[in-house]
Coordinates of all heavy atoms in Angstrom, one line a residue:
M1 N -138.6 98.7 26.8 CA -137.6 99.6 26.6 C -137.9 100.9 27.5 O -139.0 101.4 27.5 CB -137.5 100.0 25.1 CG -136.4 101.0 24.8 SD -136.4 101.3 23.0 CE -135.0 102.3 23.0
T2 N -136.9 101.3 28.3 CA -137.0 102.5 29.1 C -136.5 103.7 28.4 O -135.6 103.7 27.6 CB -136.3 102.3 30.5 OG1 -134.9 102.1 30.2 CG2 -136.9 101.1 31.2
D3 N -137.2 104.8 28.8 CA -136.7 106.1 28.2 C -135.5 106.5 29.0 O -135.4 106.5 30.2 CB -137.8 107.2 28.4 CG -139.0 106.9 27.5 OD1 -138.8 106.3 26.4 OD2 -140.1 107.3 27.8
W4 N -134.5 107.0 28.2 CA -133.3 107.5 28.8 C -133.4 109.0 28.9 O -133.9 109.7 28.1 CB -132.1 107.2 27.9 CG -130.8 107.6 28.5 CD1 -130.0 107.0 29.4 CD2 -130.1 108.9 28.2 NE1 -128.9 107.7 29.8 CE2 -128.9 108.9 29.0 CE3 -130.4 110.0 27.4 CZ2 -128.1 109.9 29.0 CZ3 -129.5 111.0 27.4 CH2 -128.3 111.0 28.2
S5 N -132.9 109.5 30.1 CA -132.9 111.0 30.2 C -131.5 111.2 30.8 O -131.0 110.5 31.6 CB -134.0 111.5 31.1 OG -133.9 110.9 32.4
P6 N -130.9 112.4 30.4 CA -129.6 112.7 30.9 C -129.6 113.0 32.4 O -130.6 113.5 32.9 CB -129.2 113.9 30.1 CG -130.4 114.5 29.6 CD -131.4 113.4 29.5
P7 N -128.5 112.8 33.0 CA -128.4 113.2 34.5 C -128.6 114.7 34.6 O -128.3 115.5 33.7 CB -126.9 112.9 34.9 CG -126.4 112.0 33.8 CD -127.2 112.3 32.6
P8 N -129.1 115.2 35.7 CA -129.4 116.6 35.9 C -128.0 117.4 36.0 O -127.0 116.8 36.3 CB -130.2 116.7 37.2 CG -129.8 115.5 37.9 CD -129.5 114.4 36.9
P9 N -128.1 118.7 35.7 CA -126.8 119.5 35.9 C -126.3 119.3 37.3 O -127.0 119.3 38.2 CB -127.3 120.9 35.6 CG -128.5 120.8 34.7 CD -129.2 119.5 35.2
G10 N -125.0 119.2 37.3 CA -124.3 119.1 38.6 C -124.1 117.6 39.0 O -123.3 117.3 39.9
D11 N -124.7 116.7 38.3 CA -124.6 115.3 38.6 C -123.2 114.8 38.2 O -122.7 115.2 37.1 CB -125.6 114.5 37.9 CG -125.7 113.0 38.4 OD1 -124.7 112.3 38.0 OD2 -126.7 112.6 39.0
A12 N -122.5 114.1 39.0 CA -121.1 113.7 38.7 C -121.0 112.4 37.8 O -119.9 112.0 37.5 CB -120.3 113.5 39.9
R13 N -122.1 111.7 37.5 CA -122.0 110.5 36.8 C -121.3 110.5 35.4 O -120.7 109.5 35.0 CB -123.4 109.9 36.5 CG -124.1 109.4 37.8 CD -125.4 108.8 37.5 NE -126.3 109.9 37.5 CZ -127.6 109.8 37.2 NH1 -128.1 108.7 36.9 NH2 -128.4 110.9 37.2
E14 N -121.3 111.7 34.8 CA -120.6 111.8 33.5 C -119.2 112.4 33.6 O -118.6 112.5 32.5 CB -121.5 112.5 32.5 CG -122.8 111.8 32.1 CD -123.5 112.5 31.0 OE1 -123.8 113.7 31.1 OE2 -123.8 111.8 30.0
Q15 N -118.8 112.7 34.8 CA -117.5 113.4 34.9 C -116.4 112.3 34.8 O -116.6 111.2 35.2 CB -117.4 114.1 36.2 CG -118.2 115.3 36.3 CD -118.0 116.1 37.6 OE1 -117.2 115.7 38.4 NE2 -118.9 117.1 37.8
L16 N -115.3 112.8 34.3 CA -114.1 111.9 34.2 C -113.6 111.6 35.6 O -113.7 112.4 36.5 CB -113.0 112.6 33.4 CG -113.4 112.9 31.9 CD1 -112.4 113.8 31.3 CD2 -113.4 111.6 31.1
P17 N -113.0 110.4 35.7 CA -112.4 110.1 37.0 C -111.3 111.0 37.4 O -110.6 111.6 36.5 CB -111.9 108.7 36.9 CG -112.4 108.2 35.6 CD -112.8 109.4 34.7
D18 N -111.1 111.2 38.7 CA -110.1 112.2 39.2 C -108.7 111.9 38.6 O -107.9 112.8 38.3 CB -110.0 112.2 40.7 CG -111.3 112.9 41.3 OD1 -111.9 113.7 40.6 OD2 -111.5 112.6 42.5
N19 N -108.3 110.6 38.5 CA -107.0 110.3 38.1 C -106.8 110.6 36.6 O -105.7 111.0 36.2 CB -106.7 108.8 38.3 CG -107.6 107.8 37.5 OD1 -108.8 108.1 37.4 ND2 -107.1 106.8 36.9
I20 N -107.9 110.6 35.8 CA -107.8 111.1 34.4 C -107.8 112.6 34.3 O -107.0 113.2 33.6 CB -109.0 110.5 33.6 CG1 -108.9 109.0 33.6 CG2 -109.0 111.1 32.2 CD1 -107.7 108.4 33.0
L21 N -108.6 113.2 35.1 CA -108.6 114.7 35.2 C -107.3 115.3 35.5 O -106.9 116.3 35.0 CB -109.7 115.2 36.2 CG -111.1 115.1 35.7 CD1 -112.1 115.5 36.9 CD2 -111.4 116.0 34.5
A22 N -106.5 114.6 36.4 CA -105.2 115.0 36.8 C -104.2 115.0 35.6 O -103.2 115.7 35.7 CB -104.7 114.2 37.9
L23 N -104.5 114.3 34.6 CA -103.6 114.2 33.4 C -103.9 115.2 32.3 O -103.1 115.3 31.4 CB -103.7 112.8 32.8 CG -103.4 111.6 33.8 CD1 -103.7 110.3 33.1 CD2 -102.0 111.7 34.2
I24 N -105.0 116.0 32.5 CA -105.3 117.0 31.4 C -105.3 118.4 32.0 O -105.5 118.5 33.3 CB -106.7 116.7 30.8 CG1 -107.8 116.8 31.8 CG2 -106.6 115.3 30.1 CD1 -109.2 116.7 31.1
D25 N -105.1 119.4 31.2 CA -105.2 120.7 31.6 C -106.6 121.3 31.2 O -106.8 121.6 30.0 CB -104.1 121.5 30.9 CG -104.1 123.0 31.4 OD1 -104.6 123.3 32.5 OD2 -103.6 123.8 30.6
A26 N -107.5 121.2 32.1 CA -108.9 121.7 31.8 C -108.9 123.2 31.7 O -108.5 123.9 32.6 CB -109.9 121.2 32.9
R27 N -109.4 123.7 30.6 CA -109.4 125.1 30.3 C -110.5 125.8 31.2 O -111.4 125.1 31.7 CB -109.9 125.4 28.9 CG -109.2 124.7 27.8 CD -109.6 125.2 26.5 NE -111.0 124.8 26.3 CZ -111.5 124.6 25.1 NH1 -110.8 124.6 24.0 NH2 -112.8 124.3 24.9
P28 N -110.4 127.1 31.4 CA -111.5 127.8 32.1 C -112.8 127.5 31.4 O -112.8 127.3 30.1 CB -111.1 129.2 32.0 CG -109.6 129.2 31.9 CD -109.3 128.0 31.1
Y29 N -113.9 127.4 32.1 CA -115.2 127.1 31.5 C -116.2 128.2 31.7 O -116.4 128.7 32.8 CB -115.7 125.8 32.3 CG -117.1 125.4 32.0 CD1 -117.6 125.1 30.7 CD2 -118.1 125.5 33.0 CE1 -118.9 124.8 30.5 CE2 -119.4 125.2 32.8 CZ -119.8 124.8 31.5 OH -121.1 124.5 31.3
T30 N -116.8 128.6 30.6 CA -117.9 129.5 30.6 C -119.0 128.7 29.9 O -118.8 128.3 28.7 CB -117.6 130.8 29.9 OG1 -116.5 131.4 30.5 CG2 -118.8 131.8 30.0
S31 N -120.2 128.5 30.5 CA -121.2 127.8 29.9 C -121.7 128.4 28.6 O -121.6 129.7 28.5 CB -122.4 127.6 30.9 OG -123.1 128.8 31.0
T32 N -122.3 127.6 27.8 CA -122.9 128.2 26.5 C -124.0 129.2 26.8 O -124.1 130.2 26.2 CB -123.5 127.0 25.7 OG1 -122.5 126.1 25.4 CG2 -124.0 127.5 24.4
A33 N -124.8 128.9 27.9 CA -125.8 129.8 28.3 C -125.2 131.2 28.7 O -125.7 132.2 28.3 CB -126.6 129.2 29.4
C34 N -124.2 131.2 29.5 CA -123.6 132.5 29.9 C -122.9 133.2 28.8 O -122.9 134.4 28.7 CB -122.6 132.2 31.1 SG -123.5 131.9 32.7
E35 N -122.2 132.4 27.9 CA -121.6 133.0 26.7 C -122.7 133.7 25.9 O -122.5 134.9 25.4 CB -120.9 132.0 25.8 CG -119.6 131.5 26.4 CD -119.0 130.4 25.5 OE1 -119.6 130.0 24.5 OE2 -117.8 130.1 25.7
T36 N -123.8 133.1 25.7 CA -124.9 133.7 25.0 C -125.5 134.9 25.7 O -125.7 136.0 25.1 CB -126.1 132.7 24.7 OG1 -125.5 131.5 24.1 CG2 -127.2 133.3 23.9
A37 N -125.6 134.8 27.0 CA -126.0 136.0 27.8 C -125.1 137.2 27.7 O -125.5 138.3 27.5 CB -126.2 135.6 29.3
Q38 N -123.8 136.9 27.6 CA -122.8 138.0 27.5 C -123.0 138.6 26.1 O -122.9 139.8 26.0 CB -121.4 137.4 27.7 CG -121.2 137.0 29.1 CD -119.9 136.2 29.3 OE1 -119.2 135.9 28.4 NE2 -119.6 135.8 30.6
A39 N -123.2 137.8 25.1 CA -123.4 138.4 23.7 C -124.7 139.2 23.7 O -124.7 140.3 23.0 CB -123.5 137.2 22.7
L40 N -125.7 138.8 24.3 CA -126.9 139.6 24.4 C -126.7 140.9 25.1 O -127.2 141.9 24.6 CB -128.1 138.8 25.1 CG -128.6 137.6 24.3 CD1 -129.3 136.6 25.3 CD2 -129.5 138.0 23.2
T41 N -126.0 140.9 26.2 CA -125.7 142.1 26.9 C -124.8 143.0 26.0 O -125.1 144.3 26.0 CB -124.9 141.8 28.2 OG1 -125.8 140.9 29.0 CG2 -124.5 143.0 29.0
E42 N -123.8 142.5 25.3 CA -123.0 143.3 24.4 C -123.9 144.0 23.3 O -123.6 145.1 22.9 CB -121.9 142.5 23.8 CG -120.8 142.1 24.8 CD -119.8 141.1 24.3 OE1 -119.9 140.8 23.1 OE2 -119.0 140.6 25.1
A43 N -124.9 143.2 22.9 CA -125.7 143.7 21.8 C -126.6 144.9 22.2 O -127.0 145.7 21.3 CB -126.6 142.6 21.3
T44 N -126.8 145.2 23.5 CA -127.6 146.3 23.9 C -126.9 147.6 23.5 O -127.6 148.6 23.2 CB -127.8 146.3 25.4 OG1 -126.6 146.4 26.1 CG2 -128.6 145.1 25.9
S45 N -125.6 147.7 23.4 CA -124.9 148.9 23.0 C -125.1 149.2 21.5 O -125.2 150.3 21.1 CB -123.5 148.9 23.4 OG -122.8 147.9 22.7
L46 N -125.3 148.1 20.8 CA -125.5 148.3 19.3 C -127.0 148.5 19.0 O -127.3 149.1 17.9 CB -125.0 147.0 18.6 CG -123.5 146.7 18.7 CD1 -123.2 145.3 18.1 CD2 -122.7 147.8 18.0
H47 N -127.8 148.0 19.8 CA -129.3 148.1 19.6 C -130.0 148.6 20.8 O -130.8 147.9 21.4 CB -129.8 146.7 19.2 CG -129.1 146.1 18.0 ND1 -129.2 146.5 16.7 CD2 -128.1 145.1 18.0 CE1 -128.4 145.8 16.0 NE2 -127.8 144.9 16.7
P48 N -129.7 149.9 21.2 CA -130.3 150.4 22.5 C -131.9 150.3 22.5 O -132.5 150.3 23.5 CB -129.8 151.8 22.6 CG -129.2 152.1 21.3 CD -128.9 150.9 20.6
E49 N -132.4 150.4 21.3 CA -133.9 150.4 21.2 C -134.5 149.0 21.7 O -135.7 148.9 22.0 CB -134.4 150.7 19.8 CG -134.1 149.7 18.7 CD -132.7 149.7 18.2 OE1 -131.8 150.4 18.7 OE2 -132.5 149.0 17.2
H50 N -133.6 148.0 21.7 CA -134.0 146.6 22.2 C -133.4 146.3 23.5 O -133.4 145.1 23.9 CB -133.7 145.6 21.1 CG -134.3 145.8 19.8 ND1 -135.7 145.6 19.6 CD2 -133.8 146.3 18.6 CE1 -136.0 145.8 18.3 NE2 -134.9 146.3 17.7
A51 N -132.9 147.2 24.2 CA -132.1 146.9 25.4 C -132.9 146.2 26.4 O -132.4 145.2 27.0 CB -131.5 148.2 26.0
A52 N -134.1 146.5 26.7 CA -134.9 145.8 27.7 C -135.2 144.4 27.3 O -135.0 143.5 28.2 CB -136.2 146.6 27.9
E53 N -135.5 144.2 26.1 CA -135.7 142.8 25.6 C -134.5 142.0 25.7 O -134.5 140.8 26.1 CB -136.3 142.8 24.2 CG -136.7 141.5 23.7 CD -137.3 141.5 22.3 OE1 -137.1 142.5 21.6 OE2 -137.9 140.5 21.9
L54 N -133.3 142.5 25.2 CA -132.1 141.8 25.3 C -131.7 141.5 26.7 O -131.2 140.4 27.0 CB -131.0 142.7 24.6 CG -131.1 142.8 23.0 CD1 -130.2 143.9 22.5 CD2 -130.7 141.5 22.4
A55 N -131.9 142.4 27.6 CA -131.5 142.2 29.0 C -132.4 141.1 29.6 O -131.9 140.3 30.4 CB -131.7 143.5 29.8
G56 N -133.7 141.0 29.2 CA -134.5 140.0 29.7 C -134.0 138.6 29.2 O -134.0 137.6 30.0
W57 N -133.6 138.5 27.9 CA -133.1 137.3 27.4 C -131.8 136.9 28.1 O -131.5 135.7 28.3 CB -133.0 137.3 25.9 CG -134.3 137.1 25.2 CD1 -135.1 138.0 24.6 CD2 -135.0 135.8 25.1 NE1 -136.2 137.4 24.1 CE2 -136.1 136.1 24.4 CE3 -134.7 134.6 25.5 CZ2 -137.1 135.1 24.1 CZ3 -135.6 133.6 25.2 CH2 -136.7 133.8 24.5
A58 N -130.9 137.9 28.3 CA -129.7 137.6 29.0 C -129.9 137.0 30.4 O -129.3 136.1 30.8 CB -128.8 138.9 29.1
D59 N -130.9 137.6 31.1 CA -131.2 137.1 32.4 C -131.7 135.6 32.3 O -131.3 134.8 33.1 CB -132.3 137.9 33.1 CG -131.8 139.3 33.5 OD1 -130.6 139.5 33.6 OD2 -132.7 140.1 33.8
R60 N -132.5 135.3 31.3 CA -133.0 134.0 31.1 C -131.8 133.0 30.9 O -131.8 131.9 31.4 CB -134.0 133.9 30.0 CG -135.3 134.5 30.4 CD -136.4 134.3 29.2 NE -137.4 135.3 29.4 CZ -137.6 136.3 28.6 NH1 -136.7 136.6 27.6 NH2 -138.5 137.2 28.8
M61 N -130.9 133.5 30.0 CA -129.8 132.6 29.7 C -128.9 132.3 30.9 O -128.5 131.2 31.2 CB -128.9 133.2 28.6 CG -129.6 133.3 27.2 SD -129.8 131.7 26.5 CE -131.5 131.4 26.8
H62 N -128.6 133.4 31.7 CA -127.8 133.2 32.9 C -128.5 132.2 33.9 O -127.9 131.3 34.5 CB -127.6 134.5 33.7 CG -126.5 135.3 33.1 ND1 -125.2 134.9 32.9 CD2 -126.6 136.6 32.6 CE1 -124.5 135.9 32.4 NE2 -125.3 136.9 32.1
A63 N -129.8 132.3 33.9 CA -130.6 131.4 34.8 C -130.5 129.9 34.4 O -130.7 129.0 35.2 CB -132.1 131.8 34.9
R64 N -130.2 129.7 33.1 CA -130.2 128.3 32.5 C -128.8 127.7 32.6 O -128.5 126.6 32.2 CB -130.7 128.3 31.1 CG -132.1 128.6 31.0 CD -132.6 128.4 29.6 NE -132.2 127.1 29.1 CZ -133.0 126.2 28.6 NH1 -134.2 126.5 28.5 NH2 -132.5 125.0 28.2
C65 N -127.8 128.5 33.1 CA -126.4 128.0 33.2 C -126.4 126.7 34.0 O -127.0 126.5 35.0 CB -125.5 129.0 33.9 SG -123.8 128.5 34.1
R66 N -125.6 125.7 33.5 CA -125.5 124.4 34.1 C -124.4 124.5 35.2 O -124.2 123.5 35.9 CB -125.2 123.3 33.1 CG -123.9 123.2 32.5 CD -123.8 122.1 31.5 NE -123.9 120.8 32.1 CZ -124.8 119.9 31.7 NH1 -125.6 120.1 30.8 NH2 -124.9 118.7 32.3
R67 N -123.8 125.6 35.4 CA -122.8 125.9 36.5 C -121.5 125.1 36.5 O -120.5 125.6 36.8 CB -123.4 125.7 37.9 CG -124.6 126.6 38.2 CD -124.1 128.0 38.3 NE -125.2 129.0 38.5 CZ -125.4 129.6 39.6 NH1 -124.7 129.5 40.7 NH2 -126.4 130.4 39.7
N68 N -121.6 123.8 36.2 CA -120.3 123.1 36.1 C -120.2 122.3 34.8 O -121.2 121.8 34.3 CB -120.2 122.1 37.3 CG -121.2 121.0 37.4 OD1 -122.3 121.2 36.9 ND2 -120.9 119.9 38.0
H69 N -119.0 122.1 34.3 CA -118.8 121.4 33.1 C -119.2 120.0 33.3 O -118.8 119.3 34.2 CB -117.3 121.5 32.7 CG -117.0 121.1 31.3 ND1 -116.8 119.7 31.1 CD2 -116.8 121.7 30.2 CE1 -116.6 119.6 29.8 NE2 -116.6 120.8 29.2
K70 N -119.9 119.5 32.3 CA -120.4 118.2 32.3 C -119.4 117.1 32.5 O -119.6 116.1 33.3 CB -121.2 117.9 31.0 CG -121.8 116.6 30.8 CD -122.6 116.7 29.5 CE -123.3 115.4 29.2 NZ -124.1 115.5 28.0
Y71 N -118.2 117.2 31.9 CA -117.2 116.1 32.0 C -116.1 116.4 33.0 O -115.5 115.5 33.5 CB -116.6 115.9 30.6 CG -117.7 115.5 29.6 CD1 -118.0 116.3 28.5 CD2 -118.4 114.3 29.8 CE1 -119.0 115.9 27.6 CE2 -119.4 113.9 28.9 CZ -119.7 114.7 27.8 OH -120.7 114.4 27.0
T72 N -115.7 117.7 33.2 CA -114.6 118.0 34.1 C -115.0 118.4 35.5 O -114.2 118.4 36.4 CB -113.7 119.1 33.5 OG1 -114.4 120.3 33.4 CG2 -113.2 118.6 32.1
G73 N -116.3 118.9 35.6 CA -116.7 119.4 36.9 C -116.3 120.8 37.1 O -116.6 121.4 38.2
R74 N -115.6 121.4 36.2 CA -115.1 122.8 36.4 C -116.3 123.7 36.4 O -117.2 123.6 35.7 CB -114.2 123.1 35.2 CG -113.4 124.4 35.4 CD -112.0 124.1 35.2 NE -111.2 125.2 35.7 CZ -110.0 125.5 35.3 NH1 -109.5 124.8 34.4 NH2 -109.4 126.5 35.8
L75 N -116.2 124.7 37.4 CA -117.3 125.6 37.5 C -117.3 126.7 36.5 O -116.2 127.2 36.1 CB -117.3 126.3 38.9 CG -117.5 125.3 40.1 CD1 -117.3 126.0 41.4 CD2 -118.9 124.6 40.0
C76 N -118.5 127.2 36.1 CA -118.6 128.3 35.1 C -117.9 129.5 35.7 O -118.2 129.9 36.9 CB -120.1 128.5 34.8 SG -120.3 129.9 33.7
D77 N -117.1 130.2 35.0 CA -116.4 131.4 35.5 C -117.1 132.7 35.2 O -116.5 133.8 35.3 CB -115.0 131.4 35.0 CG -114.8 131.5 33.5 OD1 -115.9 131.6 32.8 OD2 -113.7 131.5 33.0
C78 N -118.3 132.7 34.8 CA -119.1 133.9 34.5 C -119.2 134.8 35.7 O -119.4 134.2 36.8 CB -120.4 133.6 33.9 SG -121.4 135.0 33.4
I79 N -119.1 136.1 35.6 CA -119.2 137.0 36.7 C -120.6 137.0 37.3 O -120.8 137.6 38.4 CB -118.8 138.4 36.3 CG1 -119.7 139.0 35.2 CG2 -117.3 138.4 35.9 CD1 -119.4 140.5 35.0
C80 N -121.6 136.4 36.6 CA -123.0 136.4 37.1 C -123.1 135.5 38.3 O -124.1 135.6 39.1 CB -124.0 136.0 36.1 SG -124.0 134.3 35.6
H81 N -122.2 134.6 38.6 CA -122.3 133.7 39.7 C -121.6 134.2 40.9 O -120.4 134.6 40.8 CB -121.7 132.3 39.3 CG -122.3 131.7 38.0 ND1 -123.6 131.3 37.9 CD2 -121.7 131.4 36.8 CE1 -123.8 130.9 36.7 NE2 -122.7 130.9 36.0
P82 N -122.3 134.2 42.0 CA -121.6 134.7 43.3 C -120.5 133.9 43.7 O -120.4 132.7 43.4 CB -122.7 134.8 44.3 CG -123.9 134.0 43.7 CD -123.6 133.8 42.3

């Protein structure tokens, strides 16, 4: 028995075929990592005494973004991406 590992981020093996994607309206995509980073950034105004730690965690979360939606290939729309 071989160990299964998921394809790396950006790999198209799990994306839907183009003809199927054309039939759906794919919503804008923000990765879970970037959504979490945005929440951490917002929390700095509520907890300024933890601003540096929150900012560090936000940076880590942005760095973990998978950039494109696993099934649709849609790119993450977070402003952290150039």
Side-chain angles (χ1 to χ4, degrees):
M1 182 175 185
T2 57
D3 291 332
W4 181 85
S5 60
D11 190 290
R13 285 180 279 176
E14 292 190 305
Q15 288 182 11
L16 295 168
D18 288 339
N19 64 318
I20 299 300
L21 285 171
L23 302 174
I24 65 172
D25 183 24
R27 312 182 295 210
Y29 168 66
T30 303
S31 73
T32 305
C34 285
E35 284 180 351
T36 303
Q38 292 166 0
L40 289 161
T41 299
E42 290 170 7
T44 60
S45 64
L46 299 172
H47 307 284
E49 69 279 9
H50 297 288
E53 184 178 17
L54 290 164
W57 279 105
D59 289 344
R60 287 184 202 106
M61 291 291 101
H62 281 301
R64 293 188 52 126
C65 177
R66 75 181 294 123
R67 299 287 175 113
N68 64 330
H69 190 278
K70 181 176 182 175
Y71 300 114
T72 66
R74 192 123 193 208
L75 294 176
C76 178
D77 63 2
C78 182
I79 61 170
C80 75
H81 305 298

